Amino acid sequence: MTDVIDKVEILDRVDGDLELLLELIDLFRDDSSRLISELRTAVSREDAALIEQNAHALKGSVGNFGAAMAYSAAAKLEAIGGTGDLSEAAGAFGVLETEIERVQNALASYAVEISNENTRS
């Protein structure tokens, strides 16, 4: 099984700046929770445009962390919203919600790992 996040890609994106990385992890936690909540509402209201918009934003966020499975799930939901055929939206949202939770957990663990390394240094 592949890693949920790509630590090498993440570090490369922030040029090794661990403080910046910790800030981005905090921002992701807040933004992804908000976007998931908005997507849940959009799916229940069958609002295709809002599904597409929020899935797109979430796709960009997870892309910053090399989270391939979450990225793919967000892209699928974005495409569903784009077509307007929402017959698979609830299922796709469920997959995305699970993947976002996995990314959040992986990033929380990574933040602890970074913090522990910083205290040893």
Side-chain angles (χ1 to χ4, degrees):
M1 183 169 156
T2 61
D3 290 334
V4 175
I5 58 175
D6 185 334
K7 293 177 183 178
V8 173
E9 183 177 333
I10 295 169
L11 282 174
D12 187 48
R13 285 184 182 264
V14 297
D15 292 327
D17 186 337
L18 297 179
E19 284 185 37
L20 175 59
L21 177 53
L22 290 173
E23 288 177 31
L24 290 175
I25 289 171
D26 283 343
L27 286 172
F28 175 78
R29 186 186 68 237
D30 294 340
D31 285 348
S32 63
S33 294
R34 177 184 55 78
L35 288 168
I36 284 293
S37 178
E38 290 178 9
L39 276 166
R40 184 178 296 108
T41 300
V43 169
S44 71
R45 291 183 181 164
E46 297 184 344
D47 185 334
L50 197 55
I51 291 170
E52 182 180 21
Q53 176 186 352
N54 287 320
H56 178 79
L58 203 46
K59 182 180 78 174
S61 291
V62 297
N64 289 324
F65 297 104
M69 298 294 289
Y71 185 92
S72 177
K76 180 174 182 174
L77 189 57
E78 178 185 15
I80 288 170
T83 67
D85 176 3
L86 304 181
S87 60
E88 296 181 24
F93 172 73
V95 171
L96 177 59
E97 188 174 31
T98 298
E99 289 303 322
I100 293 300
E101 186 175 320
R102 291 178 67 223
V103 172
Q104 288 173 333
N105 291 336
L107 288 172
S109 295
Y110 192 31
V112 168
E113 183 181 317
I114 291 168
S115 296
N116 288 342
E117 286 177 16
N118 283 346
T119 57
R120 283 186 225 137
S121 300

